[in-house]
Amino acid sequence: MRLGVAHFALAIAAFGLFSATTATPATADTSSEIRALKARLLKLEAAEAEAKREAKAKAAAAAQHASAAPAGHGAVAAGAPPAPQHWYERLSLRGYTQMRYNDILSGGPFYNDISTPGDKSVGPRQNFFIRRARMILSGDVSDHLYLYFQNDFASAPSGTFSNSPTFNPPGNFAAQQVYYYYNQPFGLFAYPGWNQQGNYSSAPGNFGQIRDLYADIYFDKDKEFRVRAGQSKIPYGFENMQSSQNRLALDRADAINSCCKDERDLGLFFYYTPKEMRHLFRDLVKNNLKGTGDYGMVGFGVYNGQGANRIELNKNTHLVARFTYPYVFENGQIVEASVQGYTGKFVPYTTGIRPSLGMGTNWAGFIPSGSPLADIGSGFTPYVDGSGWNNLGNYNLSSWGARNGWGPVVANGGTGIQDSRVAVTGVIYPQPFGIRAEWNWGVGPQLNETQTAITKRTLNGGYVEATYKYEDKEFGTGTWFPFVKWQYYNGGAKFENNAPLMRVNEWDVGVEYQPLPELEFTAIYSHMDRTNVQAAPYRQFQADLMRMQLQWNY
């Protein structure tokens, strides 16, 4: 209790006591009231005395602390600025986790073809799956240096999380007899091996891997000009730059996402964002409007080009540039328009296949009778039609002599195949209705029709997504984002082995529900018509899926 309040209470009590004692002779009721007032007065006096003792004790403790402090580190004078924070006190730790379940409702013509490059849990024999487990350490180390370090603990490197069986060869008659013995009366097929499932290898997943590790170096106090050094997102495509923590659809559209593996690469990027725009980009995320964050109004950079966490293969950098302009109307509605592009050379990855016809169709794998393809057989590695030497050798023959010199050689791919795109973006942020569309055109590596060579081919594709933001303020059930999305792509899947043709025509209808800011649930019905780009002969499939995701933020 503060002393002023205590004095005020004592005055009221004393006034009541004085009034009671100076009134007419008291009745029995008046006497009891007087006794009650006296008791209340004694209680208030005791409380005041206790408050005085506490105040004196605090003052004594503060004086003792000040006298014990070393010289130059005494008590801070009133009104003095707080002591500066250490760099490690400026950092924060946050993250999110996404758990998925995909159920194939129907699909064909080959059930095992059902798969997507963006989600390893889409396919036969799958159940629950940890899609992302992110931890993010970030903060301003100083007024001119910002650190961002994001790690994913649910990464699945190549060769992991594979549940494709290894089939016993039909000629292994003894193995088939064992199979028939234990599977009757279901071993009904006469041809050995037709219903032998084979063996599964141990293919663990959920490894830790760097997603982002970069530093923003600011050149001015308003932080309008900066250079981003390290592994970070490439400023190409709104959906690529938008965090998976904020995206409505479970996967990014292949047409835009096929430009950049994991949306990231190692390089240097320059960004310019006016001060007022920095606050706008921040608020578009903070206010749950599904923004990207601050990637500058103007951005350009140079990066390796082979993708995040991948070794550079051709010592040839990619160049990227982007310009975006958000506009706020008088009624508060926000729109944004962007244009972006990149160019460079990309070295595709190759593996042995059996060449065939029909890639990107339901009849892929067809080999005509008498065709030269029939004589090639399996294990053929497609030729990469890339120009230039990628191993120059030793040309200093005057110093080392002709006998010790060697000429240039070319590994498959040379210095790579031209990889260039341009894209446009239009966004109306959901207040409450929102729509976003992106489309890109370009050239890039792609396996040819006979699956014998990887050459430069044209590509195009994009997506349109519409949504409505509903905040239930009447019953307090949370925030709802019903949405519909259509995507299309026709071009090479350059990051997959042999860069096969990818044809996608897909619809998603779903809803994201946020009962709490830290909890989200998404349910989507997907109608897919896409190419299985993960295994030759790269056959087209059609499928209907029910997809669900639970996300928790921390």
Side-chain angles (χ1 to χ4, degrees), residues 261-308:
K261 183 67 174 177
D262 297 323
E263 306 86 49
R264 298 163 171 86
D265 212 318
L266 186 61
L268 294 168
F269 304 92
F270 172 85
Y271 294 111
Y272 164 67
T273 314
K275 185 177 181 180
E276 61 275 11
M277 290 299 180
R278 290 185 61 243
H279 297 297
L280 177 60
F281 287 133
R282 177 200 62 196
D283 291 343
L284 288 172
V285 176
K286 183 179 179 181
N287 296 335
N288 200 17
L289 296 179
K290 305 299 184 181
T292 63
D294 183 6
Y295 286 87
M297 278 189 64
V298 177
F300 58 87
V302 55
Y303 60 99
N304 283 343
Q306 289 297 133

XYZ file of all heavy atoms in Angstrom, residues 261-308:
389
model
N 16.259 -25.338 -56.677
C 16.127 -26.437 -55.739
C 16.103 -25.905 -54.315
O 17.006 -25.169 -53.889
C 17.295 -27.420 -55.916
C 17.213 -28.638 -55.037
C 16.038 -29.531 -55.417
C 16.038 -30.831 -54.644
N 14.859 -31.664 -54.969
N 15.055 -26.252 -53.571
C 14.851 -25.779 -52.205
C 14.752 -24.261 -52.125
O 14.960 -23.678 -51.047
C 15.954 -26.280 -51.267
C 15.954 -27.793 -51.149
O 14.852 -28.378 -51.140
O 17.040 -28.390 -51.082
N 14.500 -23.618 -53.264
C 14.321 -22.166 -53.389
C 15.585 -21.376 -53.039
O 15.548 -20.137 -52.992
C 13.178 -21.662 -52.482
C 11.860 -22.364 -52.680
C 11.757 -23.622 -51.847
O 12.050 -23.567 -50.636
O 11.404 -24.674 -52.402
N 16.696 -22.030 -52.793
C 17.869 -21.363 -52.239
C 19.131 -21.694 -53.020
O 19.185 -22.673 -53.754
C 18.063 -21.763 -50.760
C 16.918 -21.362 -49.854
C 16.965 -22.114 -48.535
N 16.009 -21.619 -47.561
C 14.743 -22.000 -47.475
N 14.275 -22.915 -48.327
N 13.947 -21.490 -46.560
N 20.150 -20.859 -52.790
C 21.474 -21.138 -53.337
C 22.482 -20.272 -52.595
O 22.114 -19.403 -51.793
C 21.527 -20.873 -54.843
C 22.493 -21.808 -55.560
O 23.596 -22.043 -55.020
O 22.155 -22.313 -56.635
N 23.754 -20.517 -52.880
C 24.842 -19.801 -52.210
C 25.309 -18.647 -53.088
O 25.662 -18.860 -54.257
C 25.997 -20.765 -51.939
C 27.183 -20.247 -51.129
C 26.746 -19.822 -49.740
C 28.260 -21.320 -51.047
N 25.292 -17.432 -52.538
C 25.698 -16.293 -53.349
C 25.636 -14.986 -52.596
O 25.571 -14.942 -51.359
N 25.651 -13.903 -53.363
C 25.572 -12.535 -52.846
C 24.368 -11.850 -53.489
O 24.213 -11.881 -54.717
C 26.844 -11.748 -53.159
C 28.143 -12.216 -52.489
C 29.349 -11.515 -53.126
C 28.101 -11.916 -50.992
N 23.533 -11.212 -52.655
C 22.336 -10.555 -53.145
C 22.249 -9.145 -52.560
O 22.462 -8.956 -51.353
C 21.085 -11.352 -52.766
C 21.105 -12.774 -53.246
C 21.598 -13.791 -52.443
C 20.653 -13.099 -54.513
C 21.631 -15.099 -52.879
C 20.683 -14.402 -54.968
C 21.174 -15.409 -54.148
N 21.930 -8.183 -53.421
C 21.767 -6.794 -52.986
C 20.286 -6.453 -52.972
O 19.558 -6.765 -53.923
C 22.503 -5.845 -53.939
C 22.225 -4.397 -53.665
C 22.948 -3.701 -52.712
C 21.227 -3.724 -54.354
C 22.690 -2.367 -52.446
C 20.954 -2.384 -54.102
C 21.685 -1.707 -53.143
N 19.836 -5.809 -51.878
C 18.438 -5.428 -51.752
C 18.329 -3.957 -51.362
O 19.104 -3.458 -50.523
C 17.729 -6.265 -50.676
C 17.618 -7.729 -51.004
C 18.339 -8.691 -50.296
C 16.798 -8.163 -52.045
C 18.235 -10.039 -50.595
C 16.681 -9.508 -52.353
C 17.411 -10.436 -51.634
O 17.309 -11.764 -51.944
N 17.345 -3.291 -51.974
C 17.003 -1.922 -51.584
C 15.530 -1.879 -51.237
O 14.668 -2.267 -52.039
C 17.280 -0.939 -52.719
C 16.601 0.406 -52.522
C 16.993 1.251 -51.484
C 15.544 0.795 -53.342
C 16.353 2.467 -51.275
C 14.894 2.008 -53.138
C 15.302 2.841 -52.109
O 14.661 4.032 -51.902
N 15.218 -1.430 -49.995
C 13.843 -1.302 -49.530
C 13.691 0.036 -48.816
O 14.338 0.249 -47.786
C 13.469 -2.418 -48.541
O 13.909 -3.675 -49.042
C 11.975 -2.458 -48.309
N 12.872 0.961 -49.336
C 12.618 2.207 -48.600
C 12.078 1.911 -47.201
O 11.429 0.895 -46.964
C 11.570 2.928 -49.465
C 11.743 2.347 -50.825
C 12.164 0.921 -50.618
N 12.346 2.835 -46.288
C 12.014 2.612 -44.876
C 10.545 2.276 -44.677
O 10.196 1.337 -43.940
C 12.405 3.848 -44.066
C 12.222 3.687 -42.570
C 12.698 4.929 -41.831
C 12.541 4.764 -40.315
N 13.013 5.985 -39.599
N 9.650 3.036 -45.338
C 8.225 2.793 -45.144
C 7.802 1.442 -45.726
O 6.874 0.799 -45.225
C 7.399 3.921 -45.774
C 7.566 4.087 -47.276
C 8.753 4.948 -47.673
O 9.581 5.241 -46.780
O 8.842 5.325 -48.855
N 8.492 0.985 -46.791
C 8.164 -0.303 -47.380
C 8.633 -1.459 -46.501
O 8.030 -2.536 -46.499
C 8.766 -0.414 -48.774
C 8.116 0.485 -49.802
S 6.361 0.116 -50.015
C 5.904 1.326 -51.255
N 9.704 -1.252 -45.762
C 10.178 -2.295 -44.848
C 9.099 -2.612 -43.822
O 8.844 -3.784 -43.505
C 11.456 -1.848 -44.126
C 12.678 -1.759 -45.015
C 13.944 -1.439 -44.235
N 14.232 -2.467 -43.266
C 14.263 -2.265 -41.951
N 14.000 -1.085 -41.459
N 14.554 -3.254 -41.130
N 8.435 -1.585 -43.310
C 7.358 -1.801 -42.345
C 6.160 -2.489 -43.011
O 5.501 -3.334 -42.396
C 6.934 -0.475 -41.729
C 8.021 0.198 -40.935
N 8.558 -0.363 -39.798
C 8.683 1.367 -41.123
C 9.496 0.428 -39.296
N 9.592 1.497 -40.084
N 5.881 -2.141 -44.269
C 4.759 -2.759 -44.966
C 5.005 -4.247 -45.197
O 4.128 -5.079 -44.926
C 4.518 -2.052 -46.301
C 3.418 -2.644 -47.184
C 2.079 -2.632 -46.472
C 3.338 -1.906 -48.516
N 6.202 -4.613 -45.696
C 6.524 -6.025 -45.916
C 6.451 -6.811 -44.614
O 5.986 -7.960 -44.589
C 7.915 -6.160 -46.536
C 7.989 -5.752 -47.979
C 8.998 -4.917 -48.430
C 7.056 -6.201 -48.892
C 9.076 -4.535 -49.763
C 7.118 -5.826 -50.226
C 8.126 -4.991 -50.659
N 6.897 -6.189 -43.518
C 6.835 -6.865 -42.219
C 5.392 -7.079 -41.788
O 5.019 -8.162 -41.317
C 7.573 -6.017 -41.180
C 7.536 -6.574 -39.755
C 7.835 -5.489 -38.745
N 6.830 -4.424 -38.812
C 6.994 -3.208 -38.276
N 8.107 -2.898 -37.672
N 6.020 -2.316 -38.373
N 4.538 -6.064 -41.958
C 3.156 -6.161 -41.506
C 2.347 -7.162 -42.332
O 1.382 -7.744 -41.825
C 2.496 -4.782 -41.555
C 3.062 -3.819 -40.505
O 3.701 -4.310 -39.556
O 2.879 -2.595 -40.661
N 2.701 -7.353 -43.607
C 1.974 -8.316 -44.433
C 2.134 -9.742 -43.905
O 1.269 -10.593 -44.111
C 2.464 -8.240 -45.881
C 2.052 -6.986 -46.655
C 2.746 -6.918 -48.001
C 0.533 -6.943 -46.831
N 3.225 -10.008 -43.214
C 3.424 -11.305 -42.558
C 2.833 -11.281 -41.150
O 2.105 -12.200 -40.745
C 4.919 -11.658 -42.507
C 5.134 -12.962 -41.744
C 5.490 -11.778 -43.914
N 3.124 -10.208 -40.415
C 2.684 -10.108 -39.023
C 1.169 -10.129 -38.900
O 0.622 -10.707 -37.951
C 3.253 -8.823 -38.409
C 2.929 -8.624 -36.947
C 3.552 -7.340 -36.422
C 3.205 -7.107 -34.959
N 3.794 -5.828 -34.454
N 0.470 -9.516 -39.860
C -0.994 -9.427 -39.807
C -1.685 -10.595 -40.491
O -2.872 -10.514 -40.832
C -1.452 -8.108 -40.428
C -0.963 -6.891 -39.654
O -0.698 -6.973 -38.460
N -0.844 -5.767 -40.338
N -0.936 -11.666 -40.746
C -1.511 -12.911 -41.274
C -2.140 -12.721 -42.652
O -3.189 -13.274 -42.958
C -2.549 -13.469 -40.295
C -2.819 -14.947 -40.507
O -2.050 -15.650 -41.160
N -3.923 -15.428 -39.957
N -1.455 -11.929 -43.502
C -1.918 -11.706 -44.861
C -1.111 -12.516 -45.877
O -1.205 -12.276 -47.077
C -1.852 -10.216 -45.204
C -2.769 -9.317 -44.375
C -2.616 -7.858 -44.787
C -4.223 -9.752 -44.518
N -0.321 -13.457 -45.398
C 0.404 -14.401 -46.247
C 1.436 -13.704 -47.142
O 1.564 -13.997 -48.333
C -0.563 -15.216 -47.107
C -1.647 -15.948 -46.322
C -1.059 -16.956 -45.355
C -2.120 -17.752 -44.628
N -1.553 -18.724 -43.659
N 2.194 -12.776 -46.568
C 3.240 -12.083 -47.320
C 4.526 -12.879 -47.401
O 4.643 -13.988 -46.864
N 5.528 -12.287 -48.061
C 6.820 -12.955 -48.246
C 7.870 -12.518 -47.246
O 8.870 -13.199 -47.058
C 7.375 -12.660 -49.650
O 7.626 -11.258 -49.777
C 6.410 -13.106 -50.723
N 7.679 -11.357 -46.621
C 8.770 -10.749 -45.890
C 9.522 -9.798 -46.801
O 9.143 -9.575 -47.959
N 10.599 -9.240 -46.297
C 11.326 -8.189 -47.004
C 12.428 -8.771 -47.893
O 13.494 -9.141 -47.415
C 11.925 -7.212 -46.001
C 12.637 -6.040 -46.668
O 12.566 -5.934 -47.905
O 13.261 -5.245 -45.954
N 12.140 -8.847 -49.197
C 13.153 -9.198 -50.191
C 13.434 -8.015 -51.117
O 13.892 -8.199 -52.242
C 12.708 -10.412 -51.006
C 12.816 -11.703 -50.226
C 11.766 -12.122 -49.411
C 13.957 -12.486 -50.266
C 11.860 -13.285 -48.675
C 14.060 -13.651 -49.529
C 13.008 -14.045 -48.733
O 13.102 -15.211 -48.007
N 13.166 -6.816 -50.613
C 13.496 -5.605 -51.325
C 12.474 -5.221 -52.377
O 11.797 -6.075 -52.949
N 12.367 -3.914 -52.621
C 11.629 -3.466 -53.797
C 12.461 -3.718 -55.046
O 11.932 -4.018 -56.114
C 11.300 -1.975 -53.677
C 10.076 -1.675 -52.834
S 9.596 0.061 -52.953
C 9.157 0.195 -54.686
N 13.784 -3.576 -54.882
C 14.729 -3.887 -55.945
C 15.724 -4.891 -55.388
O 16.258 -4.705 -54.288
C 15.460 -2.624 -56.440
C 16.487 -2.997 -57.499
C 14.473 -1.602 -56.985
N 15.935 -5.967 -56.121
C 16.913 -6.964 -55.705
C 17.626 -7.549 -56.896
O 17.025 -7.743 -57.955
N 18.900 -7.801 -56.742
C 19.657 -8.506 -57.771
C 20.822 -9.213 -57.099
O 21.229 -8.855 -55.979
C 20.154 -7.553 -58.877
C 21.022 -6.425 -58.404
C 22.397 -6.571 -58.272
C 20.465 -5.187 -58.091
C 23.192 -5.530 -57.845
C 21.253 -4.134 -57.661
C 22.616 -4.303 -57.537
N 21.346 -10.255 -57.774
C 22.408 -11.007 -57.146
C 23.090 -11.969 -58.083
O 22.714 -12.127 -59.248
N 24.084 -12.645 -57.530
C 24.856 -13.641 -58.242
C 24.971 -14.863 -57.333
O 25.203 -14.732 -56.131
C 26.248 -13.083 -58.633
C 27.006 -12.561 -57.424
C 27.079 -14.123 -59.367
N 24.769 -16.068 -57.911
C 24.784 -17.275 -57.094
C 25.276 -18.455 -57.934
O 25.362 -18.372 -59.166
C 23.403 -17.555 -56.502
C 22.297 -17.752 -57.509
C 21.874 -19.030 -57.879
C 21.640 -16.670 -58.089
C 20.854 -19.225 -58.794
C 20.612 -16.843 -59.003
C 20.222 -18.118 -59.357
O 19.217 -18.305 -60.263
N 25.571 -19.579 -57.275
C 26.182 -20.720 -57.953
C 25.299 -21.279 -59.055
O 25.741 -21.483 -60.182
C 26.507 -21.828 -56.952
C 27.755 -21.525 -56.135
O 28.551 -20.670 -56.515
N 27.916 -22.216 -55.021
N 24.054 -21.629 -58.725
C 23.124 -22.112 -59.736
C 22.815 -23.594 -59.694
O 21.887 -24.044 -60.363
N 23.551 -24.392 -58.920
C 23.279 -25.832 -58.860
C 22.302 -26.203 -57.752
O 21.904 -27.359 -57.642
C 24.587 -26.610 -58.653
C 25.506 -26.629 -59.862
C 24.920 -27.315 -61.081
O 24.970 -26.797 -62.197
N 24.362 -28.501 -60.885
N 21.905 -25.235 -56.933
C 20.935 -25.504 -55.885
C 21.542 -25.488 -54.498
O 22.769 -25.559 -54.326
N 20.676 -25.395 -53.497
C 21.126 -25.340 -52.107
C 21.806 -26.640 -51.702
O 21.381 -27.731 -52.090
C 19.934 -25.066 -51.192
